[in-house]
Amino acid sequence: MTSKDKINLLIEISEADRKHVMLYVAFCFAIPAIVVSDIDPTGLSAPMGWLLIVATVALFVAGASFFRYGQAISHARISAIGEIMSDSVEGVRNTLFGVTEKHGRRVSIWADNKSYFYIGQALLWLGIGAFSAFFIWRINLETGVNLGLCPCP
């Protein structure tokens, strides 16, 4: 495998990671936008309104957190341009995935930015859970059939 092939492989892996994260971003912003646009908030009870607010805010903040992680990946790719132009496989690897010097310690892009990804994951599941509870509660209220999954009257 030539150095050019290795550099292309590293760039492809980085791009696949960025695309994966951007799918999370799209999901986190699209789902609340679609759901909220179809709901009349004036007819909701207070608990249902709060569930809707929690779900929407959780998914929007998750989307912003994932976006910040995706930004870190993009910044690393831009930083790697000099290494790519000099045909340095080791430099590209260190810039995209490896270790860099920061404040006297060796860290990776993942080590510096994984909290954004983990926060996004936690809030994504909170948002999905809150939307699920909202819809189960709404189905129970609209159909009059208590599925036993929520404290509906």
Side-chain angles (χ1 to χ4, degrees):
M1 182 178 255
T2 67
S3 63
K4 188 173 187 147
D5 292 338
K6 290 177 183 178
I7 289 173
N8 284 336
L9 179 62
L10 291 170
I11 292 169
E12 286 174 20
I13 293 169
S14 172
E15 179 61 14
D17 188 27
R18 190 192 64 78
K19 282 182 180 178
H20 173 80
V21 171
M22 288 300 134
L23 283 174
Y24 278 129
V25 172
F27 178 82
C28 288
F29 287 119
I31 296 302
I34 292 168
V35 170
V36 171
S37 68
D38 287 343
I39 293 175
D40 177 20
T42 58
L44 298 176
S45 65
M48 286 186 71
W50 279 109
L51 269 176
L52 188 61
I53 289 169
V54 167
T56 302
V57 170
L59 285 175
F60 279 160
V61 175
S65 187
F66 282 128
F67 181 78
R68 176 62 188 94
Y69 177 69
Q71 257 186 331
I73 295 169
S74 292
H75 290 156
R77 290 171 52 128
I78 291 168
S79 297
I81 290 174
E83 304 295 338
I84 292 167
M85 296 308 290
S86 66
D87 210 24
S88 170
V89 176
E90 186 71 20
V92 172
R93 185 190 63 79
N94 284 341
T95 303
L96 294 179
F97 305 105
V99 293
T100 56
E101 291 290 331
K102 188 171 187 180
H103 305 294
R105 63 185 179 93
R106 292 170 68 84
V107 295
S108 69
I109 293 165
W110 172 250
D112 268 0
N113 297 285
K114 66 182 173 187
S115 60
Y116 295 112
F117 187 82
Y118 289 143
I119 289 168
Q121 285 285 304
L123 292 173
L124 173 65
W125 288 110
L126 173 66
I128 289 172
F131 268 131
S132 298
F134 173 83
F135 283 115
I136 289 170
W137 199 338
R138 188 169 177 182
I139 289 168
N140 285 346
L141 290 176
E142 287 180 358
T143 63
V145 177
N146 190 338
L147 304 174
L149 301 172
C150 69
C152 302

